[in-house]
Amino acid sequence: MKFPLAAAAAATLASVASGSAVASRQAACPASFAPGEHWCDSPGGAGDIYVCNNELKAVAVDHCPGRCIQDGHATVCQYRGWDDKCDNPGGEYNVWCEKDGGPSGIRTCNKDGRQPVTYLCDGICMSNGGHAMCLPEGARDKCPEGVQKGQSRCDVPWGAGKIRTCTDWGTFEVTDKCKDVCDPFYNHAKCIDKLH
């Protein structure tokens, strides 16, 4: 099982678009690439990953610090462990957390018999019968008294930090991370940029 970039980078896409070190290139997409398809700028090594947008322009969406693998018109980032061997190459149940119950790398046993880390879970990683899922941080925490469903709070009001939202299930989950300033805004927290 592979984690295509479109799924794996969904959680980081917003932060990348809002001003990470990865810059967008407005060059044309490579020939034969359609909107939504991805490619590595340095296949087989560390580098940036691009997506073709609806205007057929290249937009940087992530950086792979390990090995960026081109798989047709999709990409997989192998963060580490690309030479580690596994027992069930290409099997149906071949994905697991390195460590359950918290932040963890997720390993995938590929058809070549190797088990690289192909996804980084910064919430709660849970292995389940050869599959793995990444729950958001706070998925087991109950909403504090006085915070209703749909309302959110800053971990650090008026500072950099996480935003936690009371979900429909009554859990108090991390839903955003503010790089500069978290504005509490009457229990509807939001990230704002520092004033220049």
Side-chain angles (χ1 to χ4, degrees), residues 1 6 14 16 25 44 60 70 73 83 103 114 119 121 125 143 159 161 170 174-175 184 186:
M1 177 178 174
V16 170
R25 292 183 189 167
Q70 191 72 44
H73 288 189
D83 289 326
R114 302 182 189 281
Y119 187 71
C121 173
C125 196
C143 299
V174 172
T175 52
Y186 305 103

Side-chain angles (χ1 to χ4, degrees), residues 13-25:
L13 186 56
S15 63
V16 170
S18 66
S20 78
V22 181
S24 295
R25 292 183 189 167

Side-chain angles (χ1 to χ4, degrees), residues 66-100:
R67 289 199 326 182
C68 188
I69 304 300
Q70 191 72 44
D71 184 11
H73 288 189
T75 59
V76 176
C77 181
Q78 297 181 349
Y79 291 89
R80 61 180 182 272
W82 44 80
D83 289 326
D84 298 345
K85 302 256 176 91
C86 54
D87 297 329
N88 187 25
E92 183 179 356
Y93 303 106
N94 58 0
V95 182
W96 64 95
C97 304
E98 291 182 298
K99 180 181 177 183
D100 283 295

Side-chain angles (χ1 to χ4, degrees), residues 19-167:
S20 78
V22 181
S24 295
R25 292 183 189 167
Q26 287 301 304
C29 299
S32 81
F33 276 72
E37 295 180 334
H38 298 81
W39 65 94
C40 308
D41 71 346
S42 302
D48 294 340
I49 299 174
Y50 291 86
V51 66
C52 191
N53 69 13
N54 289 335
E55 298 173 352
L56 299 181
K57 299 291 186 183
V59 179
V61 291
D62 206 358
H63 177 77
C64 180
R67 289 199 326 182
C68 188
I69 304 300
Q70 191 72 44
D71 184 11
H73 288 189
T75 59
V76 176
C77 181
Q78 297 181 349
Y79 291 89
R80 61 180 182 272
W82 44 80
D83 289 326
D84 298 345
K85 302 256 176 91
C86 54
D87 297 329
N88 187 25
E92 183 179 356
Y93 303 106
N94 58 0
V95 182
W96 64 95
C97 304
E98 291 182 298
K99 180 181 177 183
D100 283 295
S104 173
I106 295 179
R107 288 187 178 262
T108 302
C109 185
N110 294 321
K111 292 179 180 178
D112 64 3
R114 302 182 189 281
Q115 55 171 346
V117 172
T118 53
Y119 187 71
L120 298 178
C121 173
D122 61 0
I124 301 169
C125 196
M126 296 178 64
S127 302
N128 182 14
H131 300 282
M133 58 191 297
C134 183
L135 301 176
E137 183 182 344
R140 295 176 177 164
D141 300 337
K142 292 183 178 179
C143 299
E145 190 174 342
V147 179
Q148 300 175 1
K149 292 177 182 179
Q151 293 185 333
S152 55
R153 287 187 175 172
C154 304
D155 275 1
V156 183
W158 303 110
K162 301 170 184 175
I163 293 177
R164 297 178 189 268
T165 301
C166 186
T167 69

